[in-house]
């Protein structure tokens, strides 16, 4: 076979590997017990070479999981020891610093053997609804309070599952059937990936993955370095301010473009917080790399080599490099703000490329339901843990409006009401787009959402709020307006905090408004037809159309008349 033919064959194999890991991820979606995996896609899947370098990742999944998991397999190889890796093994951990950042993510790694020889590894990660401890929230003062810790260890050896591990897990979590089911689902999805890999290797008569690994990594590295080489050699500093738990947090990053790499240095960021919103470096690195990669090389497949030129530095014991035993349960809140901080710097290096600030972190909450305690509870009342993932609006882009109720940068999906209510005795009374929440601009910011949640008759609950942008809404870029802030209150007017565990009595509801993305460019430059379309769709009110965009009273009346007649605007 000529060199040209071999390159063509390797390209086909590369595409096949990407499809293999996507099938691996979809198997996890189909078999997982947790709604966070089945409905929101909060997972990752990938295939690795013998050194633990990621060769391909699934399209389905989150940057925080997959980019953090890119470093994890090497830890597994080191901890297990190559001499203890056997066919039929499955390895497990939820170590925040050698996995993906907090105890609520379980990572499983499976060695892949072909004709009795180790040829690579499959890995996958999924968010688990409950891992014991205080529950999913920011209230812990150390990682020891946040749940059950599983060091890197064998879930199964030579095909036999460790039943002692299973019993320990069952005895320490609130939803044992769900968690054990998820663990088996993770193991199964790796097995699916392994089967498809072996089919590919047999089809192409491969004894190992050495050749295709070299092809993937060399081409990815070269393509990424070409993109970096086209950038100006300069540095810029970006900052972003977020609510934090009790005190405001600042993320500060200096982005420096070199000949063969881009360095993001977070010196100057806030120190470790007392509560569980701290971010291990592996997770901050995942999102900093993601931000730069989507800015300059979005179409280059994600793997070890395409990520390597993006280097991340952060002093120990800063909010983005929290070390053991810092509490890290809600590390995603800080981690999801990292891309906006990086973009604020990169916009000064390459103007007109990155979006305005968005909602950033997911608008998640978890409810711990139980029979009411203020009066006799009905016989059907039960305990349950329900986690729901939700989104604010994304920031406007240089040439496009922001996306409504869309999770950027995490990319996870919003959970359907039906799936949430099926998971436990919770009622979602309201879930709709929030008019006027997107920042004004030549390109409008994406809209946030309204949500109203309560419990079924006979239940009370604690809600674990995981929100930000209550006091620091998304800021516009190039003259764009800010997005609307987060609000949270009970239906009787009782004020609530944006973070932390809070009691909600029987019969009460929690009313939430999630933040909008910021605008891009001056609102005066927005096309009048776009303003009229937004008004007709209910994205903005007549007051905003007039005050922010200068739409005349006659034009507003005309749009309203067309809407009343059912005509398109």
């Amino acid at each position: 076979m000529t060199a040209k033919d071999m390159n063509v064959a390797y390209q086909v194999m590369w595409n096949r590997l990407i499809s293999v890991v996507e099938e691996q991820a979809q198997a996890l979606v189909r078999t997982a017990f947790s709604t966070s995996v089945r409905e929101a896609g909060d997972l990752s899947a990938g295939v690795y070479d013998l050194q633990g370098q990621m060769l391909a990742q699934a399209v389905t999944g989150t940057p925080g999981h997959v980019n953090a998991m890119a470093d994890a397999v090497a830890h597994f190889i080191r901890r297990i020891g190559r001499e203890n890796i056997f066919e039929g093994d499955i390895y497990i951990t939820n170590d925040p610093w050698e996995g993906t950042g907090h105890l609520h993510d379980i990572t499983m790694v499976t060695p892949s053997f072909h004709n009795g020889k180790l040829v690579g590894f499959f890995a996958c990660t999924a968010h688990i609804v409950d891992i014991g401890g205080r529950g999913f929230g920011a209230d812990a003062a150390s990682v020891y309070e946040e749940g059950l810790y599983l060091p890197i260890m064998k879930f199964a050896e030579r095909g036999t599952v460790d039943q002692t591990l299973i019993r320990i897990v069952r005895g320490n979590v609130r939803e044992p059937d769900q968690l054990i089911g998820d663990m088996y689902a993770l193991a199964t999805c790796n097995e699916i990936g392994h089967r498809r890999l072996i089919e590919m290797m047999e089809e192409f008569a491969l004894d190992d993955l050495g050749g295709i690994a070299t092809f993937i990594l060399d081409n990815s590295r070269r393509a990424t370095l070409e993109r970096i080489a086209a950038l100006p050699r300069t540095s810029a500093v970006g900052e972003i301010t977020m609510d934090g738990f009790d005190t405001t947090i600042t993320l500060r990053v200096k982005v420096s473009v070199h000949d063969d790499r881009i360095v993001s240095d977070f010196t100057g960021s806030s120190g470790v917080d007392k509560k569980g919103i701290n971010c291990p470096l592996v997770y901050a690195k995942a999102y900093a790399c993601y931000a730069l990669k989507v800015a300059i090389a979005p179409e280059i497949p994600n793997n070890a080599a395409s990520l390597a030129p993006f280097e991340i530095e952060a002093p120990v014991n800063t909010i983005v490099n929290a070390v053991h035993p810092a509490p890290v349960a809600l590390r995603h809140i800080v981690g999801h703000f990292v891309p906006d901080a990086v973009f604020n710097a990169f916009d000064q290096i390459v103007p007109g490329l990155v979006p305005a600030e968005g909602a950033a972190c997911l608008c998640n909450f978890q409810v711990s339901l139980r029979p009411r305690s203020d009066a006799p509870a009905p016989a059907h009342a039960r305990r349950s843990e329900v986690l729901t993932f939700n989104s604010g609006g994304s920031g406007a882009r240089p040439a496009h409006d922001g996306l409504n109720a869309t999770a950027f940068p995490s990319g996870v999906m919003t959970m359907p009401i039906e799936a949430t209510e099926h998971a436990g005795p919770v009622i979602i009374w309201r879930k709709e787009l929030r008019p006027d929440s997107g920042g004004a601009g030549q390109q409008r910011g994406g809209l946030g959402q309204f949500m109203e949640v309560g419990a079924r008759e006979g239940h009370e609950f604690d809600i674990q709020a995981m929100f930000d942008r209550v006091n620091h809404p998304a800021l516009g870029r190039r003259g764009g307006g800010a997005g609307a802030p987060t609000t949270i209150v009970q239906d009787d007017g009782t004020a609530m905090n944006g973070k932390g565990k809070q009691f909600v009595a029987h019969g009460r509801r929690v009313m939430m408004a999630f933040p909008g993305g910021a605008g891009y460019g001056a609102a005066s430059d927005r096309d009048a037809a776009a303003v009229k379309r937004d008004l007709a769709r209910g994205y903005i009110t007549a007051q905003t159309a007039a005050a922010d965009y200068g739409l005349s009273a006659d034009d507003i009346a005309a749009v309203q008349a067309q809407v009343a007649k059912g005509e398109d605007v």
Side-chain angles (χ1 to χ4, degrees), residues 97 249-252 265-273 277-281 284 312-323 326-328 334:
W97 291 272
I249 289 171
T250 297
L251 297 185
R252 184 183 189 276
D265 184 352
F266 285 85
T267 299
S269 297
S270 295
V272 169
D273 199 89
I277 59 173
N278 299 293
C279 187
L281 182 60
I312 311 303
E313 299 174 356
V316 172
N317 288 324
T318 50
I319 194 76
V320 289
N321 189 5
V323 297
V328 293
V334 170

Side-chain angles (χ1 to χ4, degrees), residues 152-384:
I152 292 177
M153 61 183 297
K154 292 193 176 186
F155 175 75
E157 182 172 270
R158 302 181 195 265
T160 300
V161 173
D162 186 338
Q163 294 301 320
T164 300
L165 171 61
I166 298 296
R167 289 193 294 272
I168 289 172
V169 171
R170 281 191 169 276
N172 283 275
V173 301
R174 298 171 180 84
E175 300 278 356
D177 289 343
Q178 185 178 90
L179 178 47
I180 298 302
D182 282 336
M183 290 166 67
Y184 278 101
L186 286 159
T188 298
C189 93
N190 278 354
E191 174 62 21
I192 293 295
H194 163 71
R195 292 178 190 174
R196 297 296 178 262
L197 175 66
I198 298 309
E199 290 172 3
M200 185 195 89
M201 294 181 71
E202 291 177 344
E203 178 180 343
F204 290 97
L206 298 179
D207 293 325
D208 56 51
L209 298 178
I212 180 60
T214 298
F215 178 82
I216 290 172
L217 298 176
D218 286 352
N219 280 278
S220 298
R221 183 180 296 105
R222 181 173 60 253
T224 305
L225 291 178
E226 287 174 357
R227 299 301 176 85
I228 293 174
L231 300 174
R233 303 293 182 272
T234 187
S235 299
V237 175
E239 287 192 1
I240 196 165
T241 303
M242 43 189 302
D243 298 343
F245 192 92
D246 291 323
T247 58
T248 299
I249 289 171
T250 297
L251 297 185
R252 184 183 189 276
V253 58
K254 180 180 181 181
V255 176
S256 302
V257 180
H258 301 274
D259 290 341
D260 58 353
R261 67 194 189 283
I262 300 178
V263 178
S264 299
D265 184 352
F266 285 85
T267 299
S269 297
S270 295
V272 169
D273 199 89
K274 294 180 180 179
K275 293 296 185 177
I277 59 173
N278 299 293
C279 187
L281 182 60
V282 66
Y283 196 76
K285 176 183 175 183
Y287 274 105
C289 290
Y290 172 71
L292 292 169
K293 191 168 184 304
V294 298
I296 69 169
E299 75 285 356
I300 299 173
N302 222 34
N303 53 58
S306 63
L307 292 172
F310 303 108
E311 298 180 4
I312 311 303
E313 299 174 356
V316 172
N317 288 324
T318 50
I319 194 76
V320 289
N321 189 5
V323 297
H324 189 276
V328 293
L330 300 192
R331 59 47 171 136
H332 72 276
I333 291 180
V334 170
H336 291 176
F337 274 82
V338 164
D340 275 344
V342 171
F343 286 159
N344 286 345
F346 197 72
D347 183 62
Q348 302 169 55
I349 298 173
V350 184
L353 182 64
V354 299
E357 292 181 10
C361 69
L362 287 163
C363 304
N364 294 353
F365 60 89
Q366 183 158 331
V367 289
S368 301
L369 303 114
R370 56 181 175 270
R372 63 185 299 180
S373 59
D374 60 331
H380 65 78
R382 61 189 176 92
R383 287 184 173 271
S384 183

Side-chain angles (χ1 to χ4, degrees), residues 2 9 20 40 57 89 124 198 206 230 246 268 270 300 329 337 340 353 358 412 417 425 428 475 497 550 560:
T2 66
V20 164
Q57 69 153 94
D89 281 3
C124 57
I198 298 309
L206 298 179
D246 291 323
S270 295
I300 299 173
F337 274 82
D340 275 344
L353 182 64
V412 302
I417 290 173
I428 307 299
L475 300 181
N497 298 322
Q560 292 172 333

Side-chain angles (χ1 to χ4, degrees), residues 2-88:
T2 66
K4 182 178 180 181
D5 290 339
M6 181 57 71
N7 284 341
V8 171
Y10 278 150
Q11 186 63 58
V12 172
M13 294 180 212
W14 190 354
N15 292 338
R16 178 73 70 83
L17 278 180
I18 293 173
S19 69
V20 164
V21 291
E22 179 60 22
E23 183 174 352
Q24 176 193 358
Q26 291 301 322
L28 181 56
V29 170
R30 291 192 301 271
T31 57
F33 284 51
S34 295
T35 53
S36 54
V37 180
R38 288 188 289 105
E39 305 295 340
D42 194 17
L43 59 97
S44 63
V47 61
Y48 299 73
D49 68 8
L50 287 174
Q51 285 68 49
Q53 299 180 102
M54 185 171 70
L55 301 180
Q57 69 153 94
V59 175
T60 300
T62 76
H65 278 164
V66 74
N67 286 358
M69 197 175 72
D71 292 340
V73 173
H75 292 306
F76 277 83
I77 295 171
R78 175 172 54 86
R79 295 287 188 188
I80 298 295
R82 291 188 180 275
E83 70 280 5
N84 294 316
I85 294 175
F86 308 120
E87 193 164 2

